[in-house]
Amino acid sequence: MRFVTLFFGAEVAKIAVCAAAIIPGNSPLLSRDVITDTTAGLPHDLAKRDAYTCYGGNANVTDCEGALEQLQAYEDQTFQVYSGVCLNWSKDTCNVRFCAQPYVARTVNRTASWIYNWASNSLMECVRGGQYSLMGDSTNLNGNGGTYRLHLEHARPKRG
Protein backbone atom coordinates (compact mmCIF):
# COMPACT_ATOMS: atom_id res chain seq x y z
CA MET A 1 0.00 0.00 0.00
CA ARG A 2 1.31 3.46 -0.77
CA PHE A 3 0.09 6.96 -0.03
CA VAL A 4 -0.64 9.52 -2.70
CA THR A 5 -0.66 13.19 -1.76
CA LEU A 6 -3.31 15.31 -3.44
CA PHE A 7 -3.45 19.10 -3.25
CA PHE A 8 -6.86 20.78 -3.03
CA GLY A 9 -6.23 24.52 -2.81
CA ALA A 10 -4.42 24.99 0.48
CA GLU A 11 -5.56 21.57 1.80
CA VAL A 12 -3.44 18.47 1.53
CA ALA A 13 -5.13 15.09 1.58
CA LYS A 14 -3.43 11.71 1.76
CA ILE A 15 -5.22 8.82 0.15
CA ALA A 16 -4.18 5.19 0.53
CA VAL A 17 -3.91 3.40 -2.79
CA CYS A 18 -3.84 -0.39 -2.91
CA ALA A 19 -1.66 -1.51 -5.80
CA ALA A 20 -2.85 -4.65 -7.58
CA ALA A 21 -5.18 -6.32 -5.10
CA ILE A 22 -6.48 -9.60 -6.53
CA ILE A 23 -8.82 -12.25 -5.21
CA PRO A 24 -7.24 -15.49 -6.49
CA GLY A 25 -9.33 -17.31 -9.05
CA ASN A 26 -12.06 -14.69 -9.19
CA SER A 27 -10.65 -11.41 -10.43
CA PRO A 28 -11.24 -10.42 -14.06
CA LEU A 29 -8.32 -7.98 -13.90
CA LEU A 30 -4.65 -8.70 -13.92
CA SER A 31 -2.30 -7.47 -11.25
CA ARG A 32 0.12 -4.85 -12.51
CA ASP A 33 2.82 -6.96 -10.81
CA VAL A 34 2.53 -9.46 -13.68
CA ILE A 35 3.88 -7.00 -16.23
CA THR A 36 6.25 -5.06 -13.96
CA ASP A 37 7.73 -8.19 -12.34
CA THR A 38 11.43 -8.29 -13.12
CA THR A 39 11.09 -11.79 -14.58
CA ALA A 40 8.28 -10.82 -16.98
CA GLY A 41 9.29 -10.33 -20.57
CA LEU A 42 7.66 -8.36 -23.30
CA PRO A 43 4.50 -9.93 -24.74
CA HIS A 44 5.05 -12.47 -27.50
CA ASP A 45 2.88 -12.03 -30.59
CA LEU A 46 0.77 -15.05 -31.52
CA ALA A 47 -2.06 -14.53 -33.98
CA LYS A 48 -3.31 -11.30 -35.55
CA ARG A 49 -4.16 -9.66 -32.22
CA ASP A 50 -3.20 -12.31 -29.66
CA ALA A 51 -0.15 -12.06 -27.42
CA TYR A 52 1.18 -13.80 -24.31
CA THR A 53 3.81 -13.27 -21.65
CA CYS A 54 5.57 -15.34 -18.98
CA TYR A 55 5.88 -14.11 -15.39
CA GLY A 56 6.64 -15.12 -11.82
CA GLY A 57 8.26 -18.39 -10.85
CA ASN A 58 7.92 -21.83 -9.29
CA ALA A 59 5.28 -23.04 -11.76
CA ASN A 60 4.47 -26.73 -11.36
CA VAL A 61 4.25 -28.54 -14.73
CA THR A 62 2.45 -31.60 -13.34
CA ASP A 63 -0.26 -29.51 -11.65
CA CYS A 64 -0.82 -27.38 -14.77
CA GLU A 65 -1.06 -30.49 -16.95
CA GLY A 66 -3.64 -31.87 -14.48
CA ALA A 67 -5.72 -28.69 -14.70
CA LEU A 68 -5.53 -28.82 -18.50
CA GLU A 69 -6.73 -32.45 -18.48
CA GLN A 70 -9.92 -31.28 -16.74
CA LEU A 71 -10.47 -28.72 -19.49
CA GLN A 72 -9.67 -31.21 -22.27
CA ALA A 73 -12.59 -33.39 -21.16
CA TYR A 74 -15.02 -30.74 -22.46
CA GLU A 75 -13.67 -31.24 -26.03
CA ASP A 76 -15.59 -28.98 -28.45
CA GLN A 77 -18.17 -27.64 -26.02
CA THR A 78 -18.65 -23.90 -26.57
CA PHE A 79 -18.45 -21.65 -23.52
CA GLN A 80 -20.32 -18.34 -23.53
CA VAL A 81 -18.56 -16.13 -20.99
CA TYR A 82 -20.16 -12.85 -19.92
CA SER A 83 -18.31 -9.61 -19.22
CA GLY A 84 -16.17 -9.84 -16.08
CA VAL A 85 -16.82 -13.59 -15.58
CA CYS A 86 -14.10 -16.27 -15.42
CA LEU A 87 -14.08 -20.04 -15.93
CA ASN A 88 -11.59 -21.99 -13.80
CA TRP A 89 -9.99 -25.42 -13.90
CA SER A 90 -7.60 -26.15 -11.02
CA LYS A 91 -5.20 -28.85 -9.91
CA ASP A 92 -3.36 -28.27 -6.65
CA THR A 93 -1.03 -25.27 -7.29
CA CYS A 94 -2.08 -24.47 -10.88
CA ASN A 95 -5.19 -22.71 -12.15
CA VAL A 96 -6.29 -22.42 -15.78
CA ARG A 97 -8.55 -19.37 -15.97
CA PHE A 98 -10.41 -18.01 -19.01
CA CYS A 99 -12.04 -14.60 -18.46
CA ALA A 100 -14.15 -12.22 -20.51
CA GLN A 101 -12.75 -8.74 -20.10
CA PRO A 102 -14.88 -6.25 -18.19
CA TYR A 103 -16.82 -3.86 -20.38
CA VAL A 104 -17.21 -6.21 -23.36
CA ALA A 105 -20.67 -5.68 -24.80
CA ARG A 106 -21.27 -9.28 -25.86
CA THR A 107 -20.42 -12.74 -24.60
CA VAL A 108 -17.01 -14.14 -25.44
CA ASN A 109 -17.53 -17.51 -27.12
CA ARG A 110 -14.71 -20.05 -27.22
CA THR A 111 -14.62 -23.83 -27.43
CA ALA A 112 -12.89 -25.90 -24.79
CA SER A 113 -10.53 -27.20 -27.50
CA TRP A 114 -9.57 -23.63 -28.48
CA ILE A 115 -8.71 -22.76 -24.86
CA TYR A 116 -6.92 -26.08 -24.39
CA ASN A 117 -4.83 -25.76 -27.56
CA TRP A 118 -3.50 -22.30 -26.70
CA ALA A 119 -2.94 -23.13 -23.04
CA SER A 120 -1.27 -26.50 -23.64
CA ASN A 121 1.06 -25.16 -26.33
CA SER A 122 2.18 -21.52 -26.07
CA LEU A 123 1.36 -20.97 -22.40
CA MET A 124 2.80 -24.30 -21.22
CA GLU A 125 6.15 -23.25 -22.73
CA CYS A 126 6.33 -20.69 -19.92
CA VAL A 127 5.35 -23.26 -17.29
CA ARG A 128 7.99 -25.70 -18.54
CA GLY A 129 10.46 -22.84 -18.06
CA GLY A 130 9.29 -22.43 -14.44
CA GLN A 131 7.00 -19.42 -14.96
CA TYR A 132 3.26 -18.84 -15.17
CA SER A 133 1.69 -17.26 -18.25
CA LEU A 134 -1.00 -14.94 -19.52
CA MET A 135 -2.54 -14.56 -22.98
CA GLY A 136 -5.02 -12.08 -24.41
CA ASP A 137 -6.25 -10.48 -27.61
CA SER A 138 -4.46 -7.24 -26.86
CA THR A 139 -0.73 -6.59 -26.64
CA ASN A 140 -1.44 -4.50 -23.52
CA LEU A 141 -2.14 -7.51 -21.32
CA ASN A 142 -2.37 -5.32 -18.23
CA GLY A 143 -5.13 -3.10 -19.64
CA ASN A 144 -8.82 -3.51 -20.31
CA GLY A 145 -8.40 -3.80 -24.08
CA GLY A 146 -9.44 -6.87 -26.00
CA THR A 147 -12.17 -9.32 -25.14
CA TYR A 148 -10.51 -12.09 -23.10
CA ARG A 149 -7.57 -13.18 -20.94
CA LEU A 150 -6.32 -16.75 -20.57
CA HIS A 151 -4.18 -17.46 -17.50
CA LEU A 152 -2.03 -20.34 -16.34
CA GLU A 153 -1.51 -19.06 -12.82
CA HIS A 154 -0.57 -20.03 -9.29
CA ALA A 155 -3.49 -21.34 -7.24
CA ARG A 156 -3.42 -21.93 -3.55
CA PRO A 157 -3.98 -25.62 -2.82
CA LYS A 158 -7.33 -26.39 -1.23
CA ARG A 159 -7.10 -27.60 2.31
CA GLY A 160 -9.54 -30.24 3.54
Side-chain angles (χ1 to χ4, degrees), residues 41 74 94 96 101 106 114 155:
Y74 288 95
C94 187
V96 176
Q101 283 291 85
R106 63 192 194 306
W114 184 93

Side-chain angles (χ1 to χ4, degrees), residues 8 20 24-25 31-32 34 44 72 100 116 134 151:
F8 297 98
S31 165
R32 86 177 67 194
V34 168
H44 305 277
Q72 188 179 25
Y116 176 83
L134 167 70
H151 307 256

Side-chain angles (χ1 to χ4, degrees), residues 42-155:
L42 295 175
H44 305 277
D45 291 331
L46 294 172
K48 187 174 185 180
R49 296 181 313 171
D50 298 316
Y52 76 98
T53 191
C54 305
Y55 67 93
N58 298 321
N60 185 306
V61 174
T62 304
D63 289 352
C64 288
E65 287 172 342
L68 285 168
E69 285 175 14
Q70 294 175 23
L71 170 61
Q72 188 179 25
Y74 288 95
E75 297 177 354
D76 285 328
Q77 180 176 338
T78 299
F79 300 116
Q80 296 180 342
V81 185
Y82 292 91
S83 176
V85 173
C86 295
L87 303 175
N88 294 285
W89 298 269
S90 295
K91 172 78 166 107
D92 296 329
T93 63
C94 187
N95 189 40
V96 176
R97 184 164 55 115
F98 180 79
C99 302
Q101 283 291 85
Y103 316 114
V104 294
R106 63 192 194 306
T107 59
V108 177
N109 302 317
R110 294 290 187 275
T111 63
S113 61
W114 184 93
I115 297 169
Y116 176 83
N117 287 335
W118 282 110
S120 64
N121 291 303
S122 298
L123 300 185
M124 276 300 289
E125 287 178 24
C126 297
V127 174
R128 287 184 194 99
Q131 296 183 301
Y132 290 101
S133 52
L134 167 70
M135 175 182 165
D137 58 347
S138 170
T139 54
N140 181 3
L141 295 172
N142 207 32
N144 286 334
T147 59
Y148 77 91
R149 295 295 185 269
L150 175 57
H151 307 256
L152 281 182
E153 63 188 4
H154 178 74

